[in-house]
Amino acid sequence: MIVYIILIPLVTAIIIPLFGFINKKLPFYVTLLSAFTNFILVIRTAKKIFSYGTERYFFGGFEAPFGIEYVVDGLNSIILIIISFMFFIITVYSKRSLEKEIENRRLPLFYALYTLFYTGILGIVITGDIFNLYVFIEIASLSSYTLIAMGQKRNALMASYNYLILGTIGATFILIGIGYLFMATGSLNMADIKLRIVPLYHSKMVRTAFAFLTLGLMLKLALFPLHVWLPNAYSYAPSAMGALLAATGTKVSAYALIRILYSVFTIEFDMKIIPFNQIFLLISLVAILAGSTLALAQTNLKKMLAYSSIGQIGYITLGISLSNATSLQGSVLHIFNHSLMKGGLFLIAGGIFYKLNIENIYDMKGISKRMPYSMAFFVILTLSMIGMPFTVGFLSKWYLILGAIEVGRYFVIPIIVISSLLSLIYLWRLVEISFNSDVDKKEISEMPVSMMVPVIIISLLTVFLGVFSDIPISLSREAVKIILGS
Amino acid sequence: MIIEFITRKMIPFIQLYALYVVAHGDLGPGGGFQGGVIFGTSIILYIIVFGMEKGKRLLPLKITDFLGSLGVLIYAGVGILCIVFGGEYLEYTKLPFKNPHLAAHLGIFAIETGVAITVSAVMVVFIFDIARKKDV
Amino acid sequence: MFDVFLLILLIIFAIYSVREKDLLSSIIILSGFSLMMTILWTRLNAVDVAFTEASVGAGVSTVIFLAAISRTKREEEVGQGRKRFDFYKIISLFIVILTGLVLAYGTFDMPPFGDIEAPVNTVLAPRYIYGSVPELGIKNFVTSILASYRGYDTLGETTVILTAGISVVILLRRKEL
Amino acid sequence: MSDFILSKFNYWASILLMMIGMYGMIAKKNLIKKIIGMNIFQVSVFLFYISMGKVKGGTAPIFWEKAVIYDNPIPHVLILTAIVVSISTTAVALSIIIRIYNCFRTVEENKILETLANDENQSGNNQ
Amino acid sequence: MYEIDKFLPLMIPLTALLAVPLIYFFRNQRDIRDGVSVLAPGTMFALAFLVFKNFYQNKEPLFIHILDITPTVSLQFRVDGASILFSLIASFLWIITTIYSRGYLGGLREKKQTSFYAYFALTLFATQSLAYSGNLITTFIFYELITLFTYPLVTHKGSDEAIKAGRKYFAYLIGTSLIFFLTAIVLTLSLKGEMSYKETGIFDGSESVEMLLLIFLFFLFGVAKAAIMPVHAWLPAAMVAPTPVSALLHAVAVVKAGVFVLYRVFNFVFTPDIIAGFNGHFIALTFSAITIVVASMIALRQDNLKRRLAYSTISQLSYIIFGFSLLNSHALTGSLYHLIMHAFGKITLFFCAGSIYVTTHISEISKLDGIGKKLPITMFCFAIGSLSMIGMPLFGGFVSKYYLLKGIAYSDYQLLFAIFGISTLLNAAYFLPIVYAAFFKPPKEEIHLEAKESQRSMEFALSITALGTIVLFFVHGFFYPLIGV
């Protein structure tokens, strides 16, 4: 019953405020419980999917395209797995850091919104109906606006407002695109549209719809020229929320983009009818370089991580734009990996802020004396970010490079290498500074266990999946099968 | 003075109309959302005329917050009921009534009520919290 | 013809409410805009939507707008030292016009206004129109779709409202203001 | 020709409205003005949807014995949802604006940005 | 039996890896900790010897497939003569170095000794794995790991200067390997679809000459650990590290790892014939020759003893590359011999430098006058080491140089004898004056010794290695089956 994947968090989100009336601490445990239940449910569903194939659910018993349909297939089950996992992990982490950053009487409502955000992104991933997609995008966006505005500094408010403006423009573009598409095909169900769109390849309506849908999603995805909202939003939000956004927000948009490109429109439409891939490839490469370069210019740790996310999003779109099986596998893998790695890095940044109240990199001299374990895991995740073999980061980059070679775009390789170097530089900066011991020896002050454990789990997973890599690779292969419809 | 009198007399009718709109969503124009907004508007009107304090006494904030959640809960709950009675989510016709049409009517009425409760509560919250000058 | 007149009026109102420096009057104009939109939609037989827009667009949103400006500034300040050639404005104008052109480009393949043969009216609509009464016994098709066929969307919609409510509470209900 | 224009006029008008609203959203520096623009933008999108649902000689989509053709109810439903979304966004945006006003004592974007820049400098000096 | 064969080589790096938690666990009992870090290399040496025995019985190389990272990228070991040779040397010298560093660190009362030993063990793990790695990607992984694990050792002091040097170290090694080495690997894979070493070479000469040349150059300069001239600057920078690190890692493990990778590239990725086909060896010869001469000249002008040794290391490494690129069997034998001989000689010299520093806090050559009276054993061993470096008969250095000269004679570049002449003279010019000054010049100012107690272990260690250089001259035949070409 895949409908429960949404219902559990939704109902949790609704009843959390009621628990809040009873006790201010209770909502956290309720959230944790539902997150865990949901994770288990997702895992079981995914198991079923991978053995028995795609599963569909018709709401109200009205068969598609007349009713709203939920589809879980190889592609979105992998996304579901990573999202629910990261949500669970970050919820474990969130207790202490939120108790520090948010005053306690506001925690119940905060957790309610937090779970609503989760509901929204799950809905985006799981739905098979294009208007339903819009509704859930709005749920996720609205809650994230507020959650970002809950940040401590007053920059948070402005960041949230800018995100709101741009996000609303993006969502409205998506709505317009849906309108044109609906007008051209008369249907709202993705699979149905895909069937009906074939004779309409040359219709101007369809092309406009395509333009607006992709544009709106790129805004949500913060692809390079449209990234302006992302860095502030990520760095001024409460630490846990920033981590959650970095781990899931853009990934979900990337997934939605893949869905739109390959399951609503068809691959030959993207490739042959319109010169989409060339443009998209160009944008992605620019994004990769620009993101890494801008990250180099930052002194605030969280901001640096946020800018590096912009570069990493470039990788994901790069794989999409090369659009052969290998590169798409690289893309899906990178969605998975980057969610893991960047989530972990943000958690560590949040931990440093929690213990020492510093965000600026150059104030972190000799921090490896004070938080040795955190820095050790930071190094591990850094290696994964630059694509060191034995870490998951390697897999995605490797597949992207192979994909680029497959279609003979050799110039992609140096760009990937250069950006890896840049990311090495801007991440290693911190490691180096933290090794510097020209400061008076301080006692160890690590972050509390409930914040440490998630970091440990993520880092170990980064290495484990990098070594025993057949798990992510087989999952992503299933996903690519779905994308290319074979 | 006069305004207060008129409002006092008017508000019940507005609320009655709101209920009508909610109830007759399946026959004529209107439905839970519109009804909810109108109901909320009646309270907003009350607040505008008699001031925030009286308004709060009429409808404490805790209640509105609670109602806001309750409405959605009703909606989701009806859906789950449909599953319990062997249908898909929100498949009203499977509800245990003597004929599917009646089931559909009642189910839809239930969710419309849910929508109406949430909407009216949230509308009131909007006014309470956005229009409130000082903390009350 | 009346529709055309109404549309032109709408455009004028929109331009005014964007250009007007006094926020209060621009909000009033906005609510007039939505009222006219309501009329237009009634003429297009979208009674439910018109109803909603009347109560929300002209009603609630106006009230909260007014409340908001009563708590903030009322005038939009004319940017001091405004250059005659404002680069930012030019850029945004360019973007907007580009968007409009793309949208207009899309309209050329559209079926003419009110065409019964348009896919919109042939693919899904009949099933709803002719299925609603026998299947569910609901006379108002909008309600039947809203609550039953696409009931799940409505659940999402209600959730959105709840989200907004929680957001407003968590943002504004605090001592330090 | 004229009927061609008429046949598309609703769409074009709505597109024009969208452009106006979007311009207000992007170009205006006043935060509340941006939200007003947002409202216009979204409402004009709704108009676009409603127009596509109109059928010549159709009656309102409510069962009626004498009716021959009904207008298309689907866009109406979609727009009902979208209206709700738009009012919710407006409310959230306005509450954020109020918070911003309480922190910065202004709702003009460029002034706020100046203030933030000053904050940055001070923090930079402190380090 | 055969299973054991497969299992033994894996044990060797694993032993080093197992040593790490033990070292960390006994961080408070200093003696047990040091015991562990003597025991571990001892075990590894024994294991390596067993592997050698098996290899001696059945001559053919042994392939061990560990796991697949992706369908094309797999982790793979290959046990053959060269790898056993390398692993034997590395594990043996680690024993000595541990004994030495016990004295050294004790003498300087270093902090953070535990982490020092731990990273040491990690580095040795990576080095051993690299010695046995059987395809390009495995080599690459452990190549990078070596850099990572040595970084904390280089920045051991944690001072700003050390951090800066560490940055240079890191930038050179990781930068080149990511830009050139990895690209070369990817190109190889995309051309041939496989990466595992073969006697017949991965390339079969059917590829375009330009492509081959490009890949060859990428390999040559991508492996910056071999310190060929444009990419050598990291090695002097790394001398801020404590002397045991410079001794074992920057005279043996790290740099020899680089050279070892080049050996694989020259003979198992390409083959001599193919390299000759696109004149790659000519470029390699030119660069290595230049490096030999220029590095020696720079060494001449260094006053800091460790820096002088570093530059001499650079030039000596190029001997080995030089030998590879002569493309005949004699030169190859010479190179592999030089791998051993230089290791012993140079580690002796570094040990001496270290013990001088510990006991007298002198690191400049100009202050060494008359130190021979104070530290007779040390300076005597220093003399032995230098003579071996120069290539005197009765010293190990002679053997390798002999084979290299033979290689030149069999190649068609006879005029390269000149290079050898010059460089040998230069070696003599920058080593012998030190020895002379140490024994026969009167001391400028009074030198007073300290840290007597730590002197024992250091002198023990360095005399063993010095002895080694002499012994190797007589028993070099013992290694012939490993080098056997």
Side-chain angles (χ1 to χ4, degrees):
Chain A
M1 287 298 269
I2 61 184
V3 61
Y4 288 119
I5 293 177
I6 299 293
L7 282 185
I8 292 172
L10 178 60
V11 174
T12 321
I14 299 164
I15 59 178
I16 278 175
L18 309 182
F19 280 107
F21 286 133
I22 305 165
N23 172 358
K24 294 275 174 277
K25 290 268 186 290
L26 211 48
F28 163 75
Y29 296 102
V30 179
T31 318
L32 192 63
L33 182 66
S34 82
F36 182 69
T37 331
N38 217 36
F39 177 54
I40 299 300
L41 186 62
V42 165
I43 292 292
R44 294 189 49 190
T45 321
K47 271 221 196 77
K48 200 138 122 266
I49 300 306
F50 284 122
S51 38
Y52 302 118
T54 307
E55 186 170 332
R56 314 175 73 187
Y57 184 85
F58 302 122
F59 279 95
F62 301 105
E63 74 291 2
F66 298 105
I68 291 174
E69 173 194 34
Y70 265 6
V71 184
V72 183
D73 56 22
L75 173 55
N76 55 9
S77 49
I78 181 172
I79 309 284
L80 283 175
I81 291 172
I82 186 68
I83 286 176
S84 49
F85 174 72
M86 289 310 285
F87 180 77
F88 172 58
I89 284 286
I90 293 174
T91 311
V92 175
Y93 175 95
S94 70
K95 188 176 187 304
R96 298 293 296 274
S97 80
L98 284 184
E99 277 170 3
K100 176 165 180 275
E101 294 180 20
I102 312 265
E103 54 274 61
N104 283 356
R105 63 196 192 85
R106 227 166 255 110
L107 275 179
L109 292 181
F110 187 94
Y111 273 112
L113 280 177
Y114 180 78
T115 320
L116 277 171
F117 173 76
Y118 181 47
T119 318
I121 56 180
L122 283 177
I124 296 171
V125 173
I126 200 173
T127 187
D129 182 286
I130 194 163
F131 192 80
N132 197 250
L133 179 76
Y134 167 75
V135 174
F136 276 95
I137 284 180
E138 279 298 353
I139 294 179
S141 313
L142 267 183
S143 39
S144 58
Y145 303 149
T146 317
L147 289 168
I148 291 166
M150 294 303 289
Q152 282 171 311
K153 287 199 188 147
R154 61 180 185 177
N155 311 42
L157 291 166
M158 209 50 208
S160 150
Y161 183 83
N162 288 334
Y163 181 24
L164 186 145
I165 292 295
L166 286 170
T168 313
I169 291 179
T172 318
F173 272 16
I174 293 173
L175 187 62
I176 295 171
I178 293 171
Y180 273 75
L181 207 53
F182 180 45
M183 204 163 182
T185 62
S187 177
L188 287 170
N189 179 290
M190 291 183 181
D192 192 37
I193 291 176
K194 187 172 183 176
L195 298 180
R196 296 175 183 282
I197 212 168
V198 176
L200 298 172
Y201 276 162
H202 293 281
S203 142
K204 296 191 176 65
M205 272 189 288
V206 172
R207 295 177 174 201
T208 318
F210 181 84
F212 274 82
L213 281 171
T214 42
L215 210 57
L217 281 171
M218 284 184 202
L219 256 168
K220 287 279 178 198
L221 181 61
L223 194 52
F224 168 59
L226 310 173
H227 69 283
V228 282
W229 59 267
L230 185 138
N232 289 340
Y234 279 16
S235 45
Y236 293 122
S239 303
M241 191 53 204
L244 186 62
L245 275 172
T248 59
T250 45
K251 309 299 169 297
V252 168
S253 319
Y255 159 81
L257 189 62
I258 295 179
R259 261 294 185 230
I260 296 289
L261 287 180
Y262 294 101
S263 312
V264 174
F265 296 91
T266 59
I267 184 161
E268 52 272 4
F269 181 77
D270 310 334
M271 303 268 295
K272 300 194 182 63
I273 312 300
I274 50 176
F276 173 69
N277 286 65
Q278 286 74 359
I279 306 165
F280 206 46
L281 177 63
L282 193 65
I283 298 175
S284 321
L285 293 180
V286 174
I288 292 177
L289 289 179
S292 315
T293 320
L294 288 170
L296 210 52
Q298 303 305 319
T299 58
N300 177 319
L301 178 54
K302 284 180 176 176
K303 263 213 176 116
M304 185 183 87
L305 294 177
Y307 273 106
S308 100
S309 286
I310 294 166
Q312 302 289 323
I313 290 162
Y315 283 112
I316 298 173
T317 50
L318 172 70
I320 299 173
S321 67
L322 293 170
S323 71
N324 60 49
T326 322
S327 70
L328 279 169
Q329 198 171 348
S331 265
V332 177
L333 274 172
H334 204 67
I335 293 180
F336 189 90
N337 303 344
H338 184 246
S339 169
L340 210 59
M341 303 182 288
K342 194 49 68 70
L345 286 172
F346 264 100
L347 291 186
I348 292 175
I352 293 173
F353 180 71
Y354 175 86
K355 281 311 275 191
L356 312 177
N357 273 323
I358 47 178
E359 283 178 328
N360 189 318
I361 293 177
Y362 294 103
D363 302 348
M364 298 187 180
K365 268 198 168 190
I367 199 175
S368 64
K369 304 278 173 313
R370 308 199 54 184
M371 311 180 78
Y373 305 108
S374 319
M375 288 318 294
F377 294 122
F378 188 91
V379 172
I380 292 178
L381 292 169
T382 304
L383 296 179
S384 180
M385 286 288 292
I386 67 174
M388 174 83 192
F390 276 166
T391 60
V392 282
F394 169 76
L395 301 176
S396 43
K397 284 190 181 169
W398 185 253
Y399 273 94
L400 287 176
I401 289 177
L402 291 186
I405 290 170
E406 238 174 68
V407 293
R409 298 195 189 279
Y410 288 94
F411 60 87
V412 171
I413 302 174
I415 290 178
I416 292 183
V417 170
I418 289 168
S419 82
S420 307
L421 275 180
L422 288 173
S423 49
L424 174 66
I425 293 169
Y426 61 69
L427 288 168
W428 197 260
R429 228 174 11 168
L430 175 60
V431 178
E432 192 178 286
I433 290 169
S434 73
F435 270 128
N436 188 328
S437 66
D438 284 2
V439 288
D440 47 350
K441 297 277 290 180
K442 295 202 198 65
E443 74 296 349
I444 286 183
S445 70
E446 264 299 352
M447 39 177 154
V449 181
S450 71
M451 292 166 75
M452 199 65 212
V453 168
V455 176
I456 296 174
I457 292 175
I458 289 175
S459 318
L460 293 186
L461 214 56
T462 318
V463 176
F464 179 80
L465 293 179
V467 175
F468 304 99
S469 54
D470 48 351
I471 304 158
I473 285 176
S474 54
L475 288 181
S476 55
R477 197 176 291 118
E478 287 298 317
V480 171
K481 270 195 205 124
I482 295 297
I483 294 176
L484 300 179
S486 62
Chain B
M1 186 59 221
I2 301 154
I3 300 175
E4 295 193 355
F5 178 79
I6 296 169
T7 333
R8 212 181 279 284
K9 289 281 160 286
M10 237 169 72
I11 283 172
F13 292 103
I14 300 179
Q15 296 178 338
L16 209 62
Y17 176 61
L19 294 180
Y20 169 84
V21 172
V22 175
H24 284 252
D26 50 2
L27 302 177
F33 186 73
Q34 295 89 336
V37 174
I38 294 170
F39 196 93
T41 322
S42 71
I43 294 165
I44 292 167
L45 187 64
Y46 185 88
I47 293 168
I48 292 172
V49 175
F50 297 99
M52 194 72 73
E53 297 308 320
K54 281 217 174 88
K56 201 172 255 65
R57 240 177 280 116
L58 177 74
L59 190 63
L61 284 175
K62 267 200 171 349
I63 304 288
T64 50
D65 301 0
F66 176 75
L67 287 177
S69 307
L70 182 68
V72 189
L73 204 53
I74 290 174
Y75 200 136
V78 171
I80 294 172
L81 269 183
C82 299
I83 296 179
V84 171
F85 289 110
E88 301 289 13
Y89 192 70
L90 292 175
E91 189 172 7
Y92 312 113
T93 48
K94 287 283 197 302
L95 287 172
F97 295 105
K98 61 178 177 302
N99 66 347
H101 283 199
L102 180 64
H105 273 286
L106 291 175
I108 289 178
F109 177 70
I111 66 145
E112 295 277 15
T113 324
V115 176
I117 292 172
T118 300
V119 169
S120 46
V122 171
M123 291 302 154
V124 175
V125 167
F126 283 174
I127 299 306
F128 267 144
D129 281 329
I130 293 182
R132 179 168 44 90
K133 284 280 188 305
K134 58 176 178 23
D135 190 82
V136 280
Chain C
M1 261 307 90
F2 179 64
D3 294 352
V4 175
F5 167 71
L6 218 60
L7 285 167
I8 293 164
L9 211 56
L10 274 169
I11 292 167
I12 295 166
F13 265 52
I15 292 173
Y16 263 99
S17 86
V18 172
R19 285 191 58 79
E20 177 58 58
K21 289 275 165 283
D22 176 5
L23 289 174
L24 179 57
S25 45
S26 104
I27 288 166
I28 302 297
I29 299 170
L30 182 65
S31 73
F33 175 86
S34 350
L35 272 177
M36 249 184 310
M37 198 54 98
T38 314
I39 301 168
L40 187 61
W41 288 348
T42 335
R43 291 182 51 80
L44 292 173
N45 284 340
V47 262
D48 294 79
V49 186
F51 198 164
T52 318
E53 178 66 16
S55 53
V56 172
V60 177
S61 73
T62 313
V63 177
I64 59 176
F65 261 116
L66 293 175
I69 66 162
S70 77
R71 283 180 76 176
T72 60
K73 276 226 166 28
R74 176 176 164 176
E75 293 78 21
E76 174 184 15
E77 295 164 18
V78 182
Q80 62 279 17
R82 70 126 42 94
K83 309 171 286 303
R84 283 187 64 257
F85 178 82
D86 187 342
F87 185 68
Y88 183 75
K89 276 200 162 43
I90 303 297
I91 288 291
S92 38
L93 202 61
F94 173 74
I95 294 172
V96 167
I97 287 169
L98 200 66
T99 319
L101 287 181
V102 177
L103 283 166
Y105 164 85
T107 58
F108 282 100
D109 281 356
M110 283 185 181
F113 177 66
D115 176 13
I116 182 103
E117 293 306 323
V120 183
N121 304 327
T122 52
V123 176
L124 296 183
R127 162 76 158 76
Y128 295 141
I129 291 174
Y130 301 112
S132 171
V133 176
E135 281 181 22
L136 306 163
I138 307 290
K139 288 211 165 51
N140 182 349
F141 309 139
V142 175
T143 310
S144 66
I145 300 174
L146 189 75
S148 184
Y149 292 101
R150 299 187 65 86
Y152 191 65
D153 270 348
T154 315
L155 178 60
E157 156 198 336
T158 324
T159 319
V160 171
I161 280 279
L162 180 68
T163 315
I166 296 177
S167 308
V168 172
V169 172
I170 200 172
L171 280 170
L172 291 183
R173 196 174 295 169
R174 49 182 66 214
K175 295 264 181 295
E176 72 292 354
L177 269 185
Chain D
M1 187 57 207
S2 69
D3 61 347
F4 173 73
I5 294 176
L6 272 182
S7 72
K8 296 277 195 297
F9 191 79
N10 278 45
Y11 301 132
W12 290 345
S14 58
I15 288 168
L16 206 54
L17 287 170
M18 288 181 210
M19 288 164 72
I20 296 166
M22 195 174 155
Y23 178 80
M25 225 171 152
I26 300 174
K28 289 294 171 184
K29 291 285 176 206
N30 181 304
L31 302 184
I32 296 182
K33 209 42 148 342
K34 281 174 182 282
I35 304 302
I36 291 173
M38 186 181 95
N39 269 293
I40 295 170
F41 188 23
Q42 293 184 319
V43 171
S44 35
V45 176
F46 305 159
L47 171 61
F48 175 83
Y49 269 79
I50 299 294
S51 318
M52 89 171 74
K54 175 65 182 159
V55 177
K56 253 197 200 59
T59 61
I62 296 172
F63 181 74
W64 181 37
E65 288 71 7
K66 294 195 276 313
V68 197
I69 315 167
Y70 294 107
D71 283 338
N72 188 347
I74 307 168
H76 303 177
V77 177
L78 303 184
I79 290 319
L80 276 175
T81 312
I83 286 178
V84 177
V85 170
S86 119
I87 176 72
S88 317
T89 318
T90 311
V92 173
L94 286 176
S95 23
I96 292 178
I97 288 175
I98 291 172
R99 287 291 306 284
I100 288 178
Y101 182 78
N102 292 322
C103 289
F104 298 89
R105 288 289 141 205
T106 174
V107 288
E108 298 295 322
E109 193 174 15
N110 38 24
K111 284 190 178 179
I112 295 169
L113 294 183
E114 285 167 16
T115 331
L116 287 178
N118 297 339
D119 291 3
E120 287 299 323
N121 297 340
Q122 270 140 23
S123 62
N125 300 342
N126 297 347
Q127 283 158 21
Chain E
M1 185 56 205
Y2 193 61
E3 284 312 308
I4 300 299
D5 290 4
K6 280 200 175 312
F7 193 56
L8 276 176
L10 291 181
M11 285 301 296
I12 296 171
L14 283 181
T15 320
L17 205 52
L18 286 177
V20 177
L22 287 175
I23 289 172
Y24 182 74
F25 182 70
F26 291 114
R27 60 185 174 287
N28 295 327
Q29 297 91 324
R30 189 156 165 277
D31 299 328
I32 304 177
R33 181 194 66 198
D34 299 0
V36 168
S37 35
V38 176
L39 207 60
T43 329
M44 288 160 70
F45 185 69
L47 288 166
F49 203 80
L50 286 175
V51 175
F52 168 55
K53 218 169 98 295
N54 296 332
F55 179 73
Y56 196 77
Q57 287 155 3
N58 44 12
K59 287 267 184 298
E60 83 282 4
L62 178 65
F63 298 96
I64 305 165
H65 182 279
I66 298 170
L67 66 98
D68 288 328
I69 296 179
T70 77
T72 49
V73 179
S74 68
L75 202 61
Q76 200 180 20
F77 271 14
R78 172 201 172 93
V79 184
D80 60 7
S83 51
I84 294 173
L85 178 69
F86 189 20
S87 117
L88 275 173
I89 299 168
S91 45
F92 176 72
L93 289 179
W94 185 16
I95 309 175
I96 312 295
T97 316
T98 318
I99 299 166
Y100 178 84
S101 19
R102 187 175 158 81
Y104 181 87
L105 297 176
L108 294 181
R109 291 175 186 69
E110 274 283 349
K111 305 273 179 304
K112 307 194 295 184
Q113 295 194 12
T114 306
S115 65
F116 176 87
Y117 283 117
Y119 282 118
F120 223 93
L122 280 171
T123 315
L124 264 296
F125 153 71
T127 316
Q128 296 285 357
S129 321
L130 183 133
Y132 289 109
S133 61
N135 62 19
L136 279 170
I137 198 69
T138 318
T139 312
F140 177 75
I141 294 170
F142 291 110
Y143 182 91
E144 297 292 12
L145 281 180
I146 290 175
T147 316
L148 283 171
F149 292 146
T150 43
Y151 177 80
L153 292 170
V154 172
T155 59
H156 185 74
K157 284 197 189 67
S159 64
D160 278 338
E161 178 212 4
I163 295 282
K164 206 171 265 79
R167 184 182 304 156
K168 197 171 185 181
Y169 184 75
F170 209 71
Y172 264 88
L173 292 182
I174 295 280
T176 49
S177 61
L178 274 181
I179 295 174
F180 298 124
F181 194 11
L182 185 57
T183 319
I185 293 174
V186 171
L187 287 176
T188 313
L189 181 64
S190 64
L191 280 178
K192 310 304 295 181
E194 63 165 335
M195 293 186 298
S196 37
Y197 300 130
K198 291 211 257 24
E199 281 79 356
T200 60
I202 295 174
F203 294 102
D204 49 17
S206 64
E207 303 77 6
S208 74
V209 174
E210 296 76 12
M211 199 62 182
L212 283 173
L213 189 57
L214 184 72
I215 297 178
F216 179 75
L217 289 180
F218 275 2
F219 274 123
L220 190 60
F221 296 111
V223 184
K225 286 200 170 77
I228 196 161
M229 206 52 167
V231 290
H232 67 288
W234 61 272
L235 188 49
M239 287 304 142
V240 299
T243 309
V245 179
S246 321
L248 181 57
L249 302 184
H250 301 124
V252 181
V254 176
V255 288
K256 294 299 189 297
V259 174
F260 187 75
V261 174
L262 282 185
Y263 164 74
R264 290 292 192 202
V265 169
F266 270 79
N267 299 297
F268 295 84
V269 175
F270 298 91
T271 55
D273 318 346
I274 293 170
I275 296 178
F278 58 86
N279 292 328
H281 65 305
F282 190 69
I283 299 165
L285 273 178
T286 326
F287 273 97
S288 49
I290 291 171
T291 313
I292 292 175
V293 177
V294 176
S296 313
M297 287 174 172
I298 299 174
L300 208 49
R301 298 209 331 279
Q302 299 296 329
D303 189 36
N304 180 313
L305 182 50
K306 281 179 73 179
R307 289 186 71 84
R308 181 175 286 193
L309 292 178
Y311 275 105
S312 121
T313 310
I314 295 173
S315 79
Q316 297 289 331
L317 288 173
S318 281
Y319 275 89
I320 304 176
I321 303 167
F322 187 86
F324 293 152
S325 40
L326 282 171
L327 302 180
N328 64 44
S329 61
H330 303 288
L332 190 56
T333 319
S335 297
L336 291 177
Y337 267 128
H338 204 62
L339 207 114
I340 316 168
M341 304 309 178
H342 171 254
F344 273 82
K346 190 49 67 67
I347 203 170
T348 316
L349 294 174
F350 268 113
F351 282 169
C352 299
S355 75
I356 292 170
Y357 177 72
V358 172
T359 45
T360 66
H361 288 290
I362 295 176
S363 55
E364 285 71 27
I365 294 165
S366 51
K367 298 199 190 120
L368 286 179
D369 299 356
I371 201 167
K373 311 273 185 309
K374 297 279 182 186
L375 299 168
I377 305 172
T378 308
M379 291 320 291
F380 184 65
C381 298
F382 191 92
I384 294 173
S386 342
L387 291 175
S388 168
M389 282 288 120
I390 297 163
M392 286 288 161
L394 302 180
F395 296 102
F398 173 77
V399 179
S400 48
K401 288 212 174 173
Y402 165 75
Y403 276 105
L404 284 172
L405 291 171
K406 201 168 164 193
I408 297 180
Y410 277 87
S411 74
D412 39 14
Y413 302 101
Q414 271 74 8
L415 71 157
L416 289 173
F417 280 120
I419 302 278
F420 259 62
I422 298 166
S423 72
T424 313
L425 284 179
L426 284 168
N427 290 349
Y430 62 71
F431 276 132
L432 294 184
I434 306 175
V435 182
Y436 173 77
F439 281 111
F440 305 114
K441 275 195 188 171
K444 283 204 185 67
E445 74 269 10
E446 188 47 42
I447 307 166
H448 42 76
L449 302 179
E450 52 197 56
K452 272 277 178 211
E453 72 289 351
S454 63
Q455 215 172 336
R456 300 275 164 284
S457 51
M458 287 195 281
E459 280 177 348
F460 173 68
L462 57 87
S463 39
I464 285 183
T465 48
L467 201 60
T469 49
I470 301 172
V471 171
L472 280 171
F473 171 74
F474 296 103
V475 303
H476 68 267
F478 167 79
F479 291 103
Y480 204 78
L482 291 177
I483 297 166
V485 276

